[in-house]
Amino acid sequence: MSPAAPRRGRRPGAPDTRAAILAAASERFAAQGYAGTSVRSIATAAGVDAALVHHYFGTKDDLFVAALQLPVDPRERLAAVIANGPEGAGEQMLRVFLSVWDDPELQLPLIGLARSILEPSGQRLLRDGFLPAVLLPVGVALGIDRPDVRMPLVASQVIGLIVTRYLLAVEPLASMPAEDLVVVYGPTIQRYLTGPLP
Amino acid sequence: MSPAAPRRGRRPGAPDTRAAILAAASERFAAQGYAGTSVRSIATAAGVDAALVHHYFGTKDDLFVAALQLPVDPRERLAAVIANGPEGAGEQMLRVFLSVWDDPELQLPLIGLARSILEPSGQRLLRDGFLPAVLLPVGVALGIDRPDVRMPLVASQVIGLIVTRYLLAVEPLASMPAEDLVVVYGPTIQRYLTGPLP
């Protein structure tokens, strides 16, 4: 992978440069955490200019999501929920979440990702990267009060559901229809989003 | 460790035999899972009689809890909650849970246990051992309907809280006072114990 400066014009995709940036980003985020990694340091590691990183990947949040290699971008999937505002967002977020995790094409990569992110080496990426860069902005965009408290509460139930239904396959959760899970967990997520806080 | 038959009378503790049984139990439960392991097979592996296993450790559930080497027996800690019945059990269970997990003497061993049990090798112990042998009996003793559905729901929130507060140390959950967590999570656990189900 040669980190050549792509000055020669727009080669479609410029796969070497993109791949070099992405590899550098994955390495830096894993080693230094999200907050401790600058776009500049990733650019340096990839042998390119910081402006080029932004050109290819957008913001640092976008680059982080790209480096996670999520099979879907949660921010994209949740756009419609966000547009509808906080009322009913609990059930709607849950339906989006389940439609992604129950998709046979996505489930295995997601389970693999969840396993790696729950390992000690991945835990900082989840805490210092995924939560502030992906989950918190969803709460901010929803317009709820105290998203810094509420979104971690949401995460605590969603992570517990991922562990029990998908990783451990605890019955009856593992084979419960999505709509039953919405009945059970929807009010929980909604209360965390808009209910009383201490 | 000599698995000598302790026929010579009551040596206090008989540490070799106890240790041999416990080592055999840990090995069998880890290899075969909870359901797939009989007390007889543990006795055979330890070179003793099944009756002696029961003499030292009580039921298969008791032996399983002993093999997990939990720093506390959850069934013992929850005895008072169980005696009070299902009303208010959500908050009370949560208080017991937090008093154990927030105890500085217990927290590190519990975090270590949680890490190992969330690894693939430990996941069957959690799903096929801890949940049916420890958590389900609590629901049965509480006298709730459909404990086989409700206790996994409780587990899904408690596991999510363990991961976020203790393993990942996600703020503000990591430093939130226990009573604030009771306000937030008490109604969730109570609803899973006694609320409507699909």
Side-chain angles (χ1 to χ4, degrees):
Chain A
M1 285 186 219
S2 74
R7 271 268 152 166
R8 303 193 51 225
R10 303 206 201 141
R11 289 176 297 160
D16 286 357
T17 308
R18 276 187 63 93
I21 294 170
L22 209 53
S26 298
E27 191 274 319
R28 300 311 297 168
F29 283 132
Q32 306 285 109
Y34 175 79
T37 301
S38 65
V39 169
R40 183 174 302 272
S41 73
I42 291 168
T44 303
V48 301
D49 193 80
L52 192 69
V53 175
H54 287 301
H55 171 73
Y56 278 135
F57 290 101
T59 67
K60 180 178 166 187
D61 279 10
D62 295 329
L63 177 58
F64 177 77
V65 171
L68 279 181
Q69 308 204 29
L70 301 177
V72 294
D73 186 336
R75 303 170 304 177
E76 214 168 87
R77 297 288 181 128
L78 288 169
V81 178
I82 289 168
N84 289 337
E87 288 316 310
E91 284 199 5
Q92 291 172 41
M93 282 178 65
L94 207 52
R95 280 205 184 89
V96 170
F97 167 82
L98 291 165
S99 73
V100 171
W101 276 81
D102 288 348
D103 182 331
E105 305 252 314
L106 299 175
Q107 193 170 91
L108 272 182
L110 283 170
I111 288 175
L113 189 76
R115 281 198 203 287
S116 70
I117 217 166
L118 282 171
E119 280 166 13
S121 61
Q123 288 180 359
R124 206 164 55 166
L125 277 189
L126 180 54
R127 184 189 60 200
D128 300 334
F130 189 82
L131 295 185
V134 180
L135 199 64
L136 186 62
V138 169
V140 172
L142 260 179
I144 55 176
D145 67 311
R146 300 172 73 187
D148 57 313
V149 178
R150 295 182 182 281
M151 296 315 285
L153 294 177
V154 170
S156 77
Q157 178 59 87
V158 170
I159 289 172
L161 182 56
I162 289 173
V163 170
T164 46
R165 177 171 166 93
Y166 300 103
L167 267 60
L168 301 181
V170 171
E171 291 297 354
L173 299 183
S175 47
M176 204 179 265
E179 273 310 303
D180 287 359
L181 292 168
V182 170
V183 171
V184 168
Y185 290 108
T188 301
I189 306 294
Q190 188 64 45
R191 202 166 59 77
Y192 295 164
L193 288 174
T194 58
L197 287 179
Chain B
M1 284 185 219
S2 74
R7 270 269 153 167
R8 303 192 51 226
R10 304 206 200 140
R11 289 176 298 158
D16 286 358
T17 308
R18 276 186 62 93
I21 294 169
L22 210 52
S26 298
E27 191 274 319
R28 301 308 299 169
F29 283 131
Q32 306 285 109
Y34 175 78
T37 301
S38 65
V39 169
R40 182 174 303 272
S41 74
I42 291 168
T44 303
V48 301
D49 193 80
L52 192 69
V53 176
H54 288 301
H55 171 74
Y56 278 135
F57 290 100
T59 66
K60 180 179 166 186
D61 278 10
D62 295 327
L63 177 58
F64 177 76
V65 172
L68 278 181
Q69 307 205 32
L70 301 177
V72 294
D73 186 335
R75 303 170 305 177
E76 215 167 84
R77 296 287 180 127
L78 289 169
V81 178
I82 289 168
N84 289 338
E87 287 317 310
E91 284 199 5
Q92 291 172 42
M93 281 178 65
L94 206 52
R95 281 206 183 87
V96 169
F97 167 82
L98 290 165
S99 73
V100 170
W101 274 81
D102 288 348
D103 183 331
E105 305 253 312
L106 298 174
Q107 195 170 93
L108 272 183
L110 283 169
I111 288 176
L113 189 76
R115 281 199 202 288
S116 70
I117 218 167
L118 282 171
E119 279 166 13
S121 61
Q123 289 181 358
R124 205 165 57 169
L125 277 189
L126 179 54
R127 184 189 60 201
D128 300 335
F130 189 81
L131 295 184
V134 179
L135 198 66
L136 187 62
V138 169
V140 172
L142 261 179
I144 55 177
D145 67 311
R146 299 173 70 188
D148 57 313
V149 178
R150 295 182 181 281
M151 296 315 285
L153 294 177
V154 171
S156 78
Q157 178 58 87
V158 170
I159 289 172
L161 181 57
I162 289 173
V163 170
T164 47
R165 176 171 166 93
Y166 300 104
L167 267 60
L168 302 182
V170 172
E171 291 297 355
L173 299 183
S175 47
M176 203 178 265
E179 272 312 303
D180 287 359
L181 291 168
V182 170
V183 170
V184 169
Y185 290 109
T188 301
I189 307 293
Q190 188 66 45
R191 202 166 56 78
Y192 295 164
L193 288 174
T194 56
L197 288 180

